[in-house]
């Protein structure tokens, strides 16, 4: 059976690649007259740490989302309108990530901290929901999937995304209380996914 | 017969993907000194609703255009200069969508409302025209199409785009009268297309 | 013989696609306080005609360059460092087009007119030179080309680019004298290329 | 054995292509009221030489990095999580290059010169490190590589990147002392790589 989803993957890859690369546009230069020498620039750079932190956090989160997208679409061979639009929702949210990132960068240090962390974690709650939706829509019809995929493999992928949902919700709730903890939960979840994604792939291949 | 249009599709996918992802650049941050706390930010975000509405409307409209582009080019196997330039016209208009989107976002709430909705619906009239032109140029020479495509399938695709034209014109006319209705017509048309595109594809496959 | 240049084409396509889509970022919105109603916006849009003209001119010129790039690389099957870097030069110049475009848009109406038209035509002189260089480097070693390509076809492509060079130079010279004529020459050349590129392709296929 | 890394290459190509094309956004237009005629514009352009130099330097450096990425991935056939994330690190750094480029462009002429050259050379030290890491992770498991690759070819690629590291470090050290020398070292290294990359490829092919 031929894989029908090649052009969807190509388009999605491009959106992920652009979303991840546009993040750099939020690293703003200092006002020209504020910088007289290297020391001024060094002080400016230090004061910008939330900007760099937000840039790094968002870059690798979108990158891991792309890795996961890659992994899901390796199992999807056909497509229907439902998959097209669940994928469209993912791409919409991914392309929007740079906005809460810029808000986080600017207002993390200050009284609006809870608000911006809530929006930042909120978009990841939505993205996690969209991934669950995509896999739910794809896996309820085994004809759309890679021929020979086992039920165990389908369930493993589902659980991988399903378990993320309550954790993102907890991060969202923490943002109103101790915003820094929310960011650490998100960071922790990415590290877990980065490490576990290798394992899931292996076990899918083993079960073939 | 080998498909000759692979590189055109790749290039077009990239333009669609960039056009759709650049839209986020029009979500502007608040002026730094206006935001003292989370409440100020919340009030700012609420006041920005036309910006978010325009962003969502344009994202999904370009996304559906891409789905349709995908669908047309699945039926086109060869290419000539006429197809290249009809496709170029589509890409030009798609890449330009962000400009009327930004105008809509900024001036929808105000006296220039009719003007910006007219420009916004106007660009969709033009894009619909360009799709009709592309399919007209491709389908008048069956050698360019997928071998074995039926006349019924060709006609079905043509009608799909042809019927959109008067509706977009009505939306354009309404913009001078009740601009909100224009936007609802465009939204309605997208939902119709999203739902009907699944059906068209099925009936093309059935007719094979 | 397998085609080795697929990834170069993919990368080049992406650069062309981004360069062409970024042009829209130079369509600036009016200052918010200047626009009270639809009429103000209409007057603003009219005053912006050089911006729209420059946008259209540059979009279709980069698009035609992409069509030509596509056409050249259909004949190139292998690659060496020289081809990589001639292609890099083309991509560099293409990515830079938006800068003279923005200058043209802003200063065409005014005393700096000659200067900006000279820079605008100048970049096309350079791009034409880079295309000639690419084809010179590729065609001097027939092992790099599509197996079975005839000398007549090689010469036809060479002449197609070679004849452009003196015409771009004339456009550059006119820019110091009657700038509008320069732009018309460039526009004329694109129309000629758009029309002739179909013919060249046909005669290459005939000669097989 | 099928090549599994096609989609990674496509995604990476897109990030490289966007990173290289976004550089043009740092070529700023002059303030409108400063330019009265062509001469003013000419003087403005001359004063902008560090901006153009930084643009050219960064464009071709990212382009050569892409050529090298291309070359490494021609030898990598399978992938694991480690390769995914080493590649992610490369893409992160490549997408960030435009920030130190913009700083270099703005502050090279002035007292912050050492500081901006140090940041500019610093990012190339990091990128060189990431390439070494990628090849180290890929080559320690020959199952991931192109079947039939020789140890001599593996070693040749490793040395190519390894030798770059001390040279970049020297450039970094010079930046605190004579910043212009740092930039010349980086330029020299690129020319060396451009010339030598042709040779390495040949010798790998010979060893097959």
């Amino acid at each position: 059976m031929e894989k029908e989803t090649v052009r969807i993957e190509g388009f999605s890859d491009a959106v992920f690649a652009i979303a991840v690369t546009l993040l750099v546009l939020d690293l703003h230069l200092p006002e020209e007259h504020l910088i007289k020498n290297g020391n001024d620039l060094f002080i400016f750079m230090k004061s910008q740490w939330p900007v760099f932190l937000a840039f790094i956090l968002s870059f690798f989160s979108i990158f891991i989302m792309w890795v996961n997208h890659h992994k899901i679409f390796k199992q999807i061979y056909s497509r229907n309108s439902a998959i097209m639009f669940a994928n469209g929702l993912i791409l919409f949210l991914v392309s929007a990530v740079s906005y809460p990132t810029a808000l986080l960068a600017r207002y993390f240090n200050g009284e609006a901290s809870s608000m911006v962390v809530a929006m930042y974690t909120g978009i990841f709650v939505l993205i996690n929901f969209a991934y669950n939706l995509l896999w739910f829509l794809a896996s309820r019809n085994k004809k759309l999937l890679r021929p020979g995929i086992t039920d165990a493999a389908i369930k493993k992928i589902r659980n991988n995304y399903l378990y993320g949902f309550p954790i993102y919700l907890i991060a969202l709730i923490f943002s109103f209380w101790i915003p820094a903890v929310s960011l650490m939960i998100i960071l922790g979840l990415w590290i877990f996914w980065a490490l576990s994604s290798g394992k899931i792939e292996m076990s899918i291949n083993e079960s073939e």
Side-chain angles (χ1 to χ4, degrees), chain A residues 101-121:
Chain A
T101 302
L103 287 171
L104 180 72
R106 190 178 282 186
Y107 299 111
F108 180 65
N109 263 344
E111 287 188 48
S113 186
S114 282
M115 183 74 183
V116 293
V117 173
M119 286 197 284
Y120 190 70
T121 50

Side-chain angles (χ1 to χ4, degrees), chain A residues 23-76:
Chain A
L23 291 171
V24 76
L25 299 182
D26 285 320
L27 303 183
H28 294 294
L29 293 186
E31 302 267 339
E32 199 143 12
H33 65 272
L34 289 181
I35 306 297
K36 298 272 173 289
N37 51 49
N39 197 43
D40 291 354
L41 187 57
F42 187 69
I43 290 166
F44 170 79
M45 301 298 275
K46 274 209 311 196
S47 75
Q48 293 293 92
W49 69 265
V51 176
F52 296 114
L53 180 72
F55 174 52
I56 292 170
L57 217 55
S58 291
F59 186 97
F60 285 100
S61 66
I62 297 181
F63 182 73
I64 290 172
M65 282 170 210
W66 171 75
V67 173
N68 280 296
H69 192 268
H70 191 168
K71 219 154 269 176
I72 284 191
F73 270 93
K74 273 180 68 177
Q75 310 300 332
I76 302 179

Side-chain angles (χ1 to χ4, degrees), chain A residues 29-201:
Chain A
L29 293 186
E31 302 267 339
E32 199 143 12
H33 65 272
L34 289 181
I35 306 297
K36 298 272 173 289
N37 51 49
N39 197 43
D40 291 354
L41 187 57
F42 187 69
I43 290 166
F44 170 79
M45 301 298 275
K46 274 209 311 196
S47 75
Q48 293 293 92
W49 69 265
V51 176
F52 296 114
L53 180 72
F55 174 52
I56 292 170
L57 217 55
S58 291
F59 186 97
F60 285 100
S61 66
I62 297 181
F63 182 73
I64 290 172
M65 282 170 210
W66 171 75
V67 173
N68 280 296
H69 192 268
H70 191 168
K71 219 154 269 176
I72 284 191
F73 270 93
K74 273 180 68 177
Q75 310 300 332
I76 302 179
Y77 269 54
S78 293
R79 50 162 183 52
N80 58 19
S81 291
I83 286 179
M84 287 304 251
F85 291 101
N87 192 43
L89 183 62
I90 290 176
L91 298 182
F92 170 70
L93 293 167
V94 164
S95 83
V97 162
S98 78
Y99 189 64
T101 302
L103 287 171
L104 180 72
R106 190 178 282 186
Y107 299 111
F108 180 65
N109 263 344
E111 287 188 48
S113 186
S114 282
M115 183 74 183
V116 293
V117 173
M119 286 197 284
Y120 190 70
T121 50
I123 202 158
F124 290 113
V125 172
L126 293 175
I127 290 172
N128 181 276
F129 168 78
Y131 270 94
N132 276 299
L133 183 67
L134 173 65
W135 188 242
F136 169 74
L137 292 169
S139 64
R140 71 179 173 170
N141 182 351
K142 276 188 72 169
K143 282 185 200 160
L144 300 173
L145 299 185
R146 183 167 59 82
I149 190 172
T150 63
D151 285 333
I154 291 172
K155 211 174 156 185
K156 223 163 238 181
I157 291 174
R158 197 190 60 210
N159 289 346
N160 192 34
Y161 294 108
L162 220 51
Y163 294 166
F165 197 71
I167 301 179
Y168 278 122
L169 271 180
I170 290 169
L172 180 55
I173 292 162
F174 260 101
S175 66
F176 295 104
W177 188 27
I178 319 176
V181 171
S182 299
L183 295 187
M184 282 190 295
I185 291 173
I186 283 180
L187 187 65
L189 208 58
W190 293 332
I191 291 170
F192 166 76
W193 263 1
L195 297 177
S196 75
S197 67
K199 265 201 278 182
I200 285 162
E201 201 176 1

